[in-house]
Amino acid sequence: MSKLDISILYVEDDNIIREFVARMLKKKVAQIITAINGLDGIEKYKKFTPDLVLTDIKMEEMGGLDMIAKLKKDFPDLKFIVVSAYDQTDYFLKAIELDVKGFILKPINRKRLFQVLDEQANLILSEQKISQKEAEKQQAQQALEKSEKKYRHFVERIEEGIVSFDTEFNFTFANKAACQIFGFGKNSFPKFNLFNFLDNKKQEKELANFQLNPGSNELEITIKNMRQEKRIITLRLRDLIDNEKLVGSFGIINDITEKKHLEEEIARIQKLDSLGVMAGGLAHDFNNILTAILSNIDFAKINIENHEKAKKILQEATNATIRAQKLTEQLLTFAKGGKPLKKTIDIKKLIKESTEFILRGSNLKPVYDIDPELKPVNVDEGQLNQALNNIIINANHAMPAGGVLQIKAENYRVTEADFLPIKNGDYIRIDIKDKGPGISKNIINRIFDPFFTTKPKGSGLGLSTAFSIIKNHNGYIDVRSYPDEGTTFSIYLPVSQQKAEKEKDASTKQFTGNAQKILLMDDEKIILDIAKEMLEYLNFQVETATDGEEAIKKYKKALDEEPFEVVIMDLTVPGGMGGKEAINKLKEIDPKVTAIVSSGYSMDPVMANYKEFGFKGVLAKPFKIEDIMRVLNQIFNENEEA
C-alpha cells in the first residue's frame, strides 16, 4: 500500500480510539499529527498547517465542529472530515454549512476511511499542482455551481442513508448508502415501497402509526433487503411541504445491525460479571462447609478401615461432596476476577485427552486435524480442560445417534477483518464442529447466559463457564450454527512467547511428619479442629490461631523457643486479619518464613500467584488428608533440595 503524500491532523479525545486510528493512518499518509480536543487541535493546526483535518464531534473543552468554525475564520480553505458516533440532524446540517468533505460513523470502517482519504488526497494533490492563477480562475467558476453541487456531492458520499418518500412511502430518492442498505440499484429505487421491506406485520402498523404522528420522529425497524439479509435500521423523518401541502417526507437511515450485536455481547458479559459477585460469595461459604464435611468423612474412613459397610457409606458421602465441590468450581470460574493458575504448555495433548475422556463410551468418533507446529499457549490446564469438556459434552448431546466430531487446531492471526472483540495478533484457533440439528436463531444469542439450558436436567452453567474461562485467558469463543448442518464452536487463545514447560517427573519423595511444629490459622472452628486432627495424625505438632494477629503473636513467641517450620493460614478472616495481611508481618519478623495459603475463594489473585505474595504453597478448600500430605510433601522436598 503506497503512502499518500499528505499530512493529517487527527482530533479525538478517546485515547484508545486515537492511538488505534493513528496507527492505521501512519501506514496510509506521509504525516499524522494528533490532538486530544478542539483547543489542542487549533494549536496543532496553526503550528503544522496540515492538508486535512480528521475530527470527532463531541469532546470536552471544545468540540470538533466548534474547532473547525474557529479555524475557518483564519483558514477559509481548510478541509476536514467528521468521524463520530453521533448522527443527529443538527450536527449533520452544521457540518454541511462548514463545507465538510466527508462523514464517517464510529465504529470506524477501515475500508471506508481509506476510500474517503484517497478521494480527498487526489483533490488536494491536484490543487497543489494547479498554479495560483489557474486556481483563482477555477474557484471563480466553481463558485457558480457550489450551492447546488455541494449538497448533492455530500449526500451521495455520506455513510448514512439519505432518502425521501411520497405520502404513501414510495421511494422518490435514495443516496448511495441507502441503496446499499436496501440492496437495490442507484436508479431503481422509484420501483419500491418501504412497506415491501418490512420483516413482519407488526412493523407495518408501527410504520403507519409513525407516518400519522410526525412528532415521533425516530423508528427502529427490521428490514429484509433485496439480498434477503435482515438488517436493523433507524429511520428519522421530516415532512416535505410544498405550497403548504404535505407531499411526502425526507430523512436519514442508519444501519445499526452490528451495533446491536455488539450491545448484546456487552450485555452478556455484564450479566456474567454481576452473577460473578453472587457466585464468588456463594462458593466461598459453600467451600468452608464442604471442607468440614469432606475432612471429617475422609478422616473417619481412616479410623474405621475394618468396617466395610460404614466405609462404603462414607465413600458415597465423599463422592457427593466432591460433586458439590465441582459445582463451586464452575461458579468460581465465571466469577468476575477469577484468576487462572497459568503455565505455558503445548496444547495438542490436552485437546486429545479432553475429547477422548468425554467421548469414552459414547458412539461419537473424534476426527482430528491438529497442526503439528501448533504454538504454545499460557493457560490454566484445569480450567481449559473444563472449557473443552463443556463444549464437547454439548456436541455429544447434539448427536445422540452418533457420528463424527471434527476437532481442528491451527495457528491463526486475528486482524480487523475478523471483527472479533479481542486484540489483533497471534492466536491458536480450536474448531469443534458437530453434525447435529443446529441451534435455532431464537436462542443462539442466549447459549452463553448463566443458567440458560434447553435440557430438562441441565444446570445451564456449562457454556457460561466455558465462555468465562476463555475470556479470563484473554481469548474468545465464537459460535456458528445452521439448521440441519450442525454447530461449530471456535476458541481463540493468545499464543505465548515462552516455550512450553516440560512435564515434571511424577515420582517425588514421600514425606511423613517427624514431630515438626506447624502453626494453623483459620476463623472457622470446625475446620480448625479437623485440620488439626489430620496434621496430628500425620505426626506433626500443631498449634492453632483464629486470626492473623494471634498467629503473628504465637509465631513471634516461638522464634525464641522452638520455631514453627510451616504456617498454614486462611486467606480471609471476616472482621479480622487474614493470611493476606499476616504474611507481610511474618516476613518482617522472619524473612525465611515458610507459609501456605488456604482458601475456598479462588477469585483473589493470591491464590493464583501465591509465590508473588510470599507464600510457598497453596491449599484449596475443600481439602482431604492427601491434599495436605501433597502440599507438605512439596514444601519439605523443596526445602531438602535447597
Side-chain angles (χ1 to χ4, degrees), residues 161-180:
I162 307 297
V163 294
S164 64
F165 305 99
D166 62 18
T167 55
E168 301 299 322
F169 274 106
N170 295 305
F171 283 88
T172 56
F173 174 78
N175 72 342
K176 183 179 178 181
C179 290
Q180 289 175 342

Side-chain angles (χ1 to χ4, degrees), residues 339-350:
K339 301 293 182 182
L341 299 167
K342 295 181 181 178
K343 68 177 181 178
T344 301
I345 65 166
D346 180 348
I347 202 173
K348 295 191 290 290
K349 181 180 178 183
L350 179 63

Side-chain angles (χ1 to χ4, degrees), residues 5 121-135 138:
D5 190 22
N122 290 334
L123 292 172
I124 291 167
L125 295 173
S126 296
E127 289 175 2
Q128 291 174 350
K129 293 178 182 178
I130 299 172
S131 67
Q132 185 65 32
K133 188 174 180 180
E134 290 175 338
Q138 186 180 15

Side-chain angles (χ1 to χ4, degrees), residues 545-602:
T546 56
D547 60 23
E549 291 181 352
E550 185 181 359
I552 292 167
K553 288 178 183 177
K554 289 191 173 184
Y555 190 90
K556 189 174 183 180
K557 182 181 178 182
L559 280 177
D560 299 327
E561 301 169 2
E562 185 181 354
F564 292 104
E565 294 203 31
V566 176
V567 182
I568 302 174
M569 294 191 291
D570 190 15
L571 179 63
T572 55
V573 174
M577 182 188 292
K580 188 175 182 179
E581 296 81 19
I583 185 62
N584 296 321
K585 302 286 186 183
L586 289 176
K587 287 184 77 67
E588 291 176 8
I589 299 168
D590 179 11
K592 296 181 179 180
V593 61
T594 298
I596 297 168
V597 62
S598 177
S599 180
Y601 193 59
S602 68

Side-chain angles (χ1 to χ4, degrees), residues 133-357:
K133 188 174 180 180
E134 290 175 338
E136 290 174 356
K137 188 184 293 184
Q138 186 180 15
Q139 286 173 2
Q141 183 179 356
Q142 288 178 344
L144 299 174
E145 305 171 350
K146 185 175 181 181
S147 179
E148 177 183 356
K149 287 187 176 180
K150 179 173 70 174
Y151 296 102
R152 182 170 293 276
H153 176 86
F154 179 75
V155 165
E156 283 300 325
R157 283 161 178 76
I158 192 171
E159 200 169 30
E160 293 178 304
I162 307 297
V163 294
S164 64
F165 305 99
D166 62 18
T167 55
E168 301 299 322
F169 274 106
N170 295 305
F171 283 88
T172 56
F173 174 78
N175 72 342
K176 183 179 178 181
C179 290
Q180 289 175 342
I181 291 171
F182 287 92
F184 46 56
K186 182 67 186 74
N187 298 317
S188 61
F189 59 81
K191 301 177 183 179
F192 297 101
N193 184 285
L194 182 57
F195 282 92
N196 300 142
F197 295 92
L198 299 184
D199 190 49
N200 57 55
K201 295 291 183 183
K202 180 182 177 182
Q203 293 193 132
E204 291 182 9
K205 293 180 181 179
E206 290 176 352
L207 183 58
N209 185 59
F210 184 67
Q211 183 183 23
L212 295 171
N213 295 277
S216 55
N217 60 358
E218 180 166 306
L219 180 67
E220 180 179 307
I221 55 176
T222 302
I223 64 166
K224 185 176 285 187
N225 63 21
M226 299 293 291
R227 298 183 293 273
Q228 297 302 300
E229 299 169 335
K230 283 190 178 182
R231 311 300 297 175
I232 304 170
I233 65 170
T234 57
L235 175 64
R236 286 178 287 129
L237 294 180
R238 295 289 185 274
D239 290 343
L240 277 176
I241 307 295
D242 188 12
N243 293 326
E244 299 184 349
K245 181 181 178 183
L246 179 66
V247 296
S249 56
F250 78 98
I252 299 174
I253 290 176
N254 273 310
D255 186 340
I256 61 169
T257 309
E258 303 305 324
K259 180 183 176 184
K260 283 288 185 182
H261 290 165
L262 181 60
E263 288 174 350
E264 290 172 0
E265 181 71 21
I266 291 171
R268 180 161 64 224
I269 292 171
Q270 288 174 339
K271 189 183 295 183
L272 288 172
D273 288 346
S274 63
L275 282 168
V277 176
M278 175 206 72
L282 172 63
H284 175 256
D285 294 340
F286 196 24
N287 269 331
N288 270 334
I289 297 168
L290 289 177
T291 297
I293 297 171
L294 185 59
S295 300
N296 275 290
I297 292 173
D298 194 56
F299 192 57
K301 283 161 54 181
I302 294 171
N303 290 281
I304 56 168
E305 291 180 356
N306 297 324
H307 298 74
E308 292 301 324
K309 186 175 181 181
K311 188 174 180 180
K312 182 179 179 182
I313 294 170
L314 287 171
Q315 183 61 52
E316 289 299 320
T318 301
N319 295 340
T321 307
I322 291 172
R323 287 198 299 272
Q325 179 190 5
K326 296 300 181 185
L327 175 61
T328 66
E329 286 176 357
Q330 290 198 53
L331 287 168
L332 281 171
T333 297
F334 72 78
K336 181 180 178 182
K339 301 293 182 182
L341 299 167
K342 295 181 181 178
K343 68 177 181 178
T344 301
I345 65 166
D346 180 348
I347 202 173
K348 295 191 290 290
K349 181 180 178 183
L350 179 63
I351 293 171
K352 288 188 176 181
E353 286 180 350
S354 296
T355 304
E356 288 164 11
F357 177 77

